[in-house]
Amino acid sequence: MCRVPETGERPYHHGHLRAGLLQAAERRLREDGVDGLSLRDLARELGVSHAAPRRHFPDRRALLDALAETGFARLDTVLRAALADTADDFAVRLQAVATAYTRFATENAALLELMFRSKHRPGGERVARAAEGAFALVNELIVQGQAEGALQAGEPEQAGLILFATLQGIAALVNGDVVPPEMRDGLVETATEQFLRGARPLP
Amino acid sequence: MCRVPETGERPYHHGHLRAGLLQAAERRLREDGVDGLSLRDLARELGVSHAAPRRHFPDRRALLDALAETGFARLDTVLRAALADTADDFAVRLQAVATAYTRFATENAALLELMFRSKHRPGGERVARAAEGAFALVNELIVQGQAEGALQAGEPEQAGLILFATLQGIAALVNGDVVPPEMRDGLVETATEQFLRGARPLP
DNA sequence: ACCTGAACACCGTTCAAGT
DNA sequence: ACCTGAACACCGTTCAAGT
């Protein structure tokens, strides 16, 4: 039951400051990158004193960690949604997840960087836990592929990691302008096909 | 014929300021990342006023660009050295370059990030040109592979890009602590083998 | 419980002036 | 040609005080 303030009104208690900070921060992250994200600037934008954010985020890192955490949650949602739309065939499912991941990684470049950077920082346990969900999903998929005989049996980790690395790398090349964005989906498709050819059981 | 100042002496003209800045900056970059690199701090370390660096680098970006440029030059040297030590066999040469690149990328994580970030910035033409050398080397190698019949004929770009992406991704996973460093060389080896199996001509 | 305002120690950048 | 010193507009962080 939070009262939304009228336009122009500026109550002493903001009421939505935490949520407002996260929302504004995410936009800034997308528009100007991590370096362009300043706490004082966000506070100004929300019409609040520069010290106010401290109640909700003890320091700048805490805000960035919170962004990373919600980033992983959103990634998880995106990947599961992509899987929900496909048939049972392993190759099709793999393509769907691979494409969805790489899209997310290129459409949220700064956020993705933040996600992987925050994951293994001291105090980044919450972010790490949020990351596990997305990783688990990929591993499940690899196990399914092995069960269907589309992949060599064995620990799924190495195979899964290499595929993951390739997608991450394609995203990095697109984000670094080494490769034009239009090539993204095509590269992912070829990479996935080559992965399937390379990782299938020997005849 | 630059006179090296005695210890404790602090002449008005530093004499090696540009080189000193680059050297100190590279160490800082390695130890504290890009965010830990401050011009004022470097100036202090070199015993010079905070405005002195401006003579050699108009702003912070210019210093970072210079670092990126020398980074590409060093990468090029590393890769050519790795090739010079191998036999003629394509698979062996590919392994050598792949391993050398990924090592460089993990041992110079912050520098590599800078290299790819600076490459496509307005004014980053010099950096981009420095990058071409390293890319050309990989492409030459792919062309050799096609000539030897180890790879499918066709434009080398797509095949080369996917391999490059995989290596970049493996480095990113190691740098992001998703994968322990000890797994690096093993992953690169497996990835290269799978790439060769996946990209060789169909029987 | 939540926010303000002043204060502190840092930045990068600019520019007249020094050697 | 190269460097200094003061100045400006920004940071993040801290803390007593306000509502």
Side-chain angles (χ1 to χ4, degrees), chain B residues 14-26:
Chain B
H14 181 281
H16 305 282
L17 189 50
R18 205 195 127 94
L21 283 168
L22 282 174
Q23 193 185 332
E26 201 168 324

Side-chain angles (χ1 to χ4, degrees), chain A residues 91-105:
Chain A
V92 176
R93 290 168 74 78
L94 189 66
Q95 283 284 1
V97 172
T99 303
Y101 178 77
T102 322
R103 274 189 195 154
F104 182 90

Side-chain angles (χ1 to χ4, degrees), chain A residues 44-174:
Chain A
R44 250 189 313 268
E45 184 179 332
L46 296 175
V48 105
S49 98
H50 66 262
R54 194 160 208 275
R55 279 290 130 189
H56 304 282
F57 304 101
D59 58 12
R60 191 172 181 269
R61 278 247 244 245
L63 173 60
L64 297 183
D65 282 354
L67 283 179
E69 204 181 325
T70 62
F72 274 115
R74 253 176 37 209
L75 172 60
D76 194 83
T77 306
V78 164
L79 295 187
R80 291 189 191 279
L83 271 184
D85 285 347
T86 64
D88 281 348
D89 182 59
F90 174 67
V92 176
R93 290 168 74 78
L94 189 66
Q95 283 284 1
V97 172
T99 303
Y101 178 77
T102 322
R103 274 189 195 154
F104 182 90
T106 51
E107 287 165 1
N108 304 274
L111 178 60
L112 200 87
E113 214 174 310
L114 207 60
M115 286 158 62
F116 280 90
R117 197 182 295 249
S118 304
K119 211 180 58 58
H120 70 291
R121 269 232 336 290
E125 293 84 12
R126 300 200 55 188
V127 184
R129 231 174 309 136
E132 310 259 314
F135 288 146
L137 184 139
V138 174
N139 260 23
E140 285 165 30
L141 192 62
I142 297 291
V143 171
Q144 186 205 346
Q146 290 175 337
E148 283 190 18
L151 298 181
Q152 293 175 53
E155 1 78 274
E157 289 144 31
Q158 178 125 322
L161 280 175
I162 288 175
L163 175 59
F164 184 30
T166 306
L167 302 180
Q168 190 84 346
I170 291 173
L173 296 192
V174 172

